[in-house]
Amino acid sequence: MVFLHKNNKFYKANIMNPISKAEENHLKAIFNLCEEFSKPASTNAIAKIMKTKAASVTAMIKRLSEKHPALVNHQKHKGASLTETGKKIATNLIRKHRLWETFLVEKLNFSWDEVHEIAEELEHIKAEKLIDRLDEFLGRPKFDPHGDPIPDAKGNFTFRKQILLTELAAHKTAVVVGVMDDSPSFLQYLDKLNLVLGAKVKILERIEYDGSNRILLNDKQEQILTNKVCQNLYVKTL
Amino acid sequence: MVFLHKNNKFYKANIMNPISKAEENHLKAIFNLCEEFSKPASTNAIAKIMKTKAASVTAMIKRLSEKHPALVNHQKHKGASLTETGKKIATNLIRKHRLWETFLVEKLNFSWDEVHEIAEELEHIKAEKLIDRLDEFLGRPKFDPHGDPIPDAKGNFTFRKQILLTELAAHKTAVVVGVMDDSPSFLQYLDKLNLVLGAKVKILERIEYDGSNRILLNDKQEQILTNKVCQNLYVKTL
DNA sequence: TACCATTTTTAGATTAATCTAAAAAATATT
DNA sequence: AATATTTTTTAGATTAATCTAAAAATGGTA
Ligand SMILES: [Mn+2]
Ligand SMILES: [Mn+2]
Ligand SMILES: [Mn+2]
Ligand SMILES: [Mn+2]
């Protein structure tokens, strides 16, 4: 099979055509945006995630569709979404990312605010056997250090009944299981508050004035959490 | 500071100018060639290692010297060598490569013939903390799965009195500590012969006719090793 | 020393991934 | 519906990393 390329040049559509790092990152961005908003990912939104410009995204999507047909769906001005094959690839990247993060925290003693950047690079290492072995070595973890689900080799995510801490009823108790915002600054702040995964939180009082919450942490420590903090913390009721 | 570029364009010499993967691989190739032959690395030799063409190497060396002055020494037609700074970078790459290989074999149960390719990619992950933690996690190993020394964080290699099996005197006993050729085919063949690192070898007879050797393996198994095999095996006398 | 083979460099192209500026299309606001 | 704003695409450049073909330099040999 041959594909028409710009300037009327042809090139073979090599089945082994490897997906580049930039292409992989774009696929992941499109996947995440489509998941979050349940609609095609806009050029601008992708550019923001990729820290590039809209024009670069348009060019990338064009190149992607030509080089690897059957990964991305795209109509001019209508945004991009992934085909099933594209989703498989994106899911596998997320799997790799989260497994590496888990490795860094569990085995190399990194803290949860340090691992994202490194995993962002490690996820692009292409060796299926490596990731299978890593998964096994880590004991086939179901969640990463931020509480995000790690898809299995087939791409299946584990779902968990979780709510935001803002949604937890007053006087109820729950356990911190994840974060919505995984920026280093938020994670570091959570560390300072001892609000790590597994922490037990009881809502003592919800303050109407500003939506802040008086909580009891791990059955002993009383403190105030702003609404913003609670809005970014996932908990699971006991 | 500014550097003149082709077409009389200028560009800023950014101190944070990151070294690309291709540049790193070239530095490593130059380092290895200079170590092996104790003279500047020729364009052709580098191209062979890099699996590119001589013209590409010339271009790369030019770009390297412009973008990162103080890494490579190069005079036209005289080959390339590394400055002290260049050697530091190459040594650190070798450190990363060998630590990752060790990780793959020791922790993820890869065999010694499978790890080179993967480490060739992993070595380019830029995170000093990662490699320090990995080193610690592995117990600060001094040698990789092929018996090659792993430089420490300062770039110091551990030296070891080792000889080729061809140099071992008849009737002497020694332990296999490394390989000269680390191609998968040789390594797989060694596995088949049970000639793994740590194997005990006694030269029973050196056959003059073709340089082959009758050996006793691990005090019990007698077999013939061709000269070529012995030429690629490092041993340490007891 | 002059010639020849080999090695290295230069010249000119190509592709991937980005950019800025301008044009075009879509969307929102009077 | 007309106009203004925002978003997306196109046009045109740039840089890194490679290639092939041709030119130039080097080194060995007659
Ligand atoms: Mn990434
Ligand atoms: Mn994560
Ligand atoms: Mn490499
Ligand atoms: Mn090795």
Side-chain angles (χ1 to χ4, degrees):
Chain A
M1 204 180 345
V2 261
F3 290 96
L4 200 49
H5 207 248
K6 66 174 171 181
N7 299 81
N8 290 330
K9 292 286 168 55
F10 289 93
Y11 77 91
K12 285 181 234 74
N14 190 344
I15 290 156
M16 294 264 16
N17 217 344
I19 299 178
S20 73
K21 184 164 149 181
E23 288 169 342
E24 286 188 335
N25 284 331
H26 279 81
L27 288 178
K28 216 174 50 152
I30 295 168
F31 179 87
N32 286 330
L33 285 165
C34 290
E35 287 288 302
E36 181 171 3
F37 301 109
S38 307
K39 61 170 190 188
S42 78
T43 305
N44 262 344
I46 299 168
K48 196 168 179 190
I49 291 178
M50 292 299 303
K51 289 172 186 156
T52 59
K53 297 298 150 72
S56 308
V57 171
T58 302
M60 172 55 87
I61 289 173
K62 203 174 173 185
R63 212 165 340 108
L64 248 177
S65 335
E66 277 167 9
K67 246 180 65 183
H68 313 280
L71 293 189
V72 181
N73 297 127
H74 181 247
Q75 294 169 269
K76 267 183 198 169
H77 298 97
K78 295 281 165 97
S81 62
L82 300 185
T83 63
E84 283 311 307
T85 315
K87 282 182 203 166
K88 266 268 160 59
I89 292 172
T91 304
N92 196 234
L93 281 165
I94 289 169
R95 169 170 160 80
K96 291 197 268 185
H97 185 104
R98 295 181 180 168
L99 282 172
W100 279 117
E101 283 188 341
T102 305
F103 168 70
L104 294 173
V105 167
E106 296 290 313
K107 302 295 182 179
L108 301 194
N109 290 111
F110 277 84
S111 53
W112 64 349
D113 59 297
E114 300 173 305
V115 296
H116 181 81
E117 243 196 327
I118 302 176
E120 202 56 55
E121 299 303 316
L122 285 163
E123 72 189 2
H124 302 290
I125 302 288
K126 286 173 182 57
E128 278 319 297
K129 192 167 183 176
L130 170 60
I131 214 63
D132 289 347
R133 290 291 177 90
L134 184 64
D135 190 21
E136 194 185 345
F137 180 57
L138 297 172
R140 308 211 178 277
K142 295 277 169 288
F143 297 93
D144 85 356
H146 310 106
D148 292 316
I150 300 173
D152 67 17
K154 286 175 196 138
N156 301 117
F157 290 84
T158 300
F159 288 106
R160 173 169 61 186
K161 249 196 302 175
Q162 60 180 29
I163 55 174
L164 290 176
L165 186 45
T166 43
E167 297 161 354
L168 182 65
H171 311 298
K172 291 277 176 190
T173 301
V175 173
V176 176
V177 294
V179 292
M180 152 119 273
D181 170 6
D182 60 4
S183 67
S185 64
F186 181 55
L187 298 176
Q188 282 161 25
Y189 181 51
L190 289 181
D191 274 337
K192 203 148 48 171
L193 297 174
N194 284 311
L195 276 169
V196 299
L197 295 199
K200 198 169 157 191
V201 174
K202 180 176 182 185
I203 302 279
L204 297 178
E205 185 190 1
R206 189 148 273 146
I207 293 143
E208 223 174 311
Y209 172 64
D210 58 2
S212 62
N213 300 268
R214 198 157 55 79
I215 64 151
L216 183 66
L217 179 59
N218 292 323
D219 298 317
K220 46 181 190 284
Q221 198 184 345
E222 210 179 300
Q223 57 190 70
I224 298 281
L225 298 182
T226 65
N227 184 265
K228 193 170 175 197
V229 167
C230 299
Q231 203 108 50
N232 283 293
L233 268 182
Y234 287 118
V235 297
K236 200 181 117 185
T237 51
L238 290 178
Chain B
M1 203 176 351
V2 261
F3 291 95
L4 200 51
H5 207 248
K6 66 173 171 183
N7 300 81
N8 290 329
K9 292 288 168 58
F10 290 92
Y11 78 91
K12 286 179 234 77
N14 191 344
I15 289 157
M16 292 265 15
N17 218 343
I19 300 176
S20 73
K21 183 164 150 182
E23 287 169 342
E24 286 187 335
N25 284 331
H26 279 82
L27 288 178
K28 217 175 50 152
I30 295 168
F31 179 87
N32 286 330
L33 285 166
C34 290
E35 287 289 301
E36 181 171 5
F37 301 109
S38 306
K39 62 170 189 187
S42 78
T43 305
N44 262 345
I46 299 168
K48 196 168 179 190
I49 291 179
M50 292 298 304
K51 290 172 186 158
T52 59
K53 297 298 150 72
S56 308
V57 171
T58 303
M60 173 55 86
I61 288 172
K62 203 173 172 185
R63 214 167 337 109
L64 248 177
S65 334
E66 277 167 8
K67 245 180 66 182
H68 313 280
L71 293 188
V72 181
N73 297 127
H74 181 246
Q75 294 168 269
K76 269 183 197 168
H77 298 97
K78 294 281 163 96
S81 62
L82 300 185
T83 63
E84 283 311 307
T85 315
K87 281 182 203 164
K88 267 269 160 62
I89 292 172
T91 304
N92 197 233
L93 281 165
I94 290 169
R95 169 171 161 79
K96 291 197 270 184
H97 185 104
R98 293 180 180 169
L99 282 172
W100 280 117
E101 283 189 341
T102 305
F103 168 70
L104 294 173
V105 167
E106 296 290 314
K107 303 294 184 180
L108 300 194
N109 292 109
F110 277 84
S111 54
W112 64 349
D113 59 295
E114 300 173 306
V115 297
H116 181 82
E117 242 197 326
I118 301 176
E120 202 56 56
E121 299 303 316
L122 284 163
E123 72 190 0
H124 302 291
I125 302 288
K126 285 174 183 59
E128 278 319 296
K129 192 167 184 176
L130 170 60
I131 213 64
D132 290 347
R133 290 291 177 87
L134 184 64
D135 190 22
E136 194 185 346
F137 179 58
L138 297 172
R140 308 213 178 278
K142 295 275 170 288
F143 297 93
D144 85 356
H146 310 107
D148 293 317
I150 300 174
D152 67 18
K154 286 175 196 135
N156 301 119
F157 290 84
T158 300
F159 287 106
R160 173 169 62 186
K161 249 195 301 174
Q162 59 180 29
I163 55 175
L164 289 176
L165 186 47
T166 44
E167 297 161 353
L168 182 65
H171 311 298
K172 292 276 177 190
T173 301
V175 172
V176 175
V177 294
V179 292
M180 152 120 275
D181 171 8
D182 60 4
S183 67
S185 65
F186 182 54
L187 298 175
Q188 282 161 26
Y189 181 51
L190 289 182
D191 274 337
K192 203 148 49 175
L193 296 174
N194 283 312
L195 275 169
V196 298
L197 295 200
K200 198 169 158 191
V201 174
K202 180 176 183 183
I203 302 279
L204 297 178
E205 185 189 1
R206 188 147 273 147
I207 292 141
E208 224 175 311
Y209 172 64
D210 58 2
S212 61
N213 300 268
R214 197 156 56 79
I215 63 151
L216 183 66
L217 179 59
N218 292 324
D219 299 317
K220 46 179 189 285
Q221 196 185 343
E222 211 179 298
Q223 57 189 73
I224 297 280
L225 299 182
T226 64
N227 184 264
K228 193 169 175 198
V229 166
C230 299
Q231 203 108 50
N232 284 294
L233 268 183
Y234 287 119
V235 297
K236 201 181 116 185
T237 52
L238 291 178

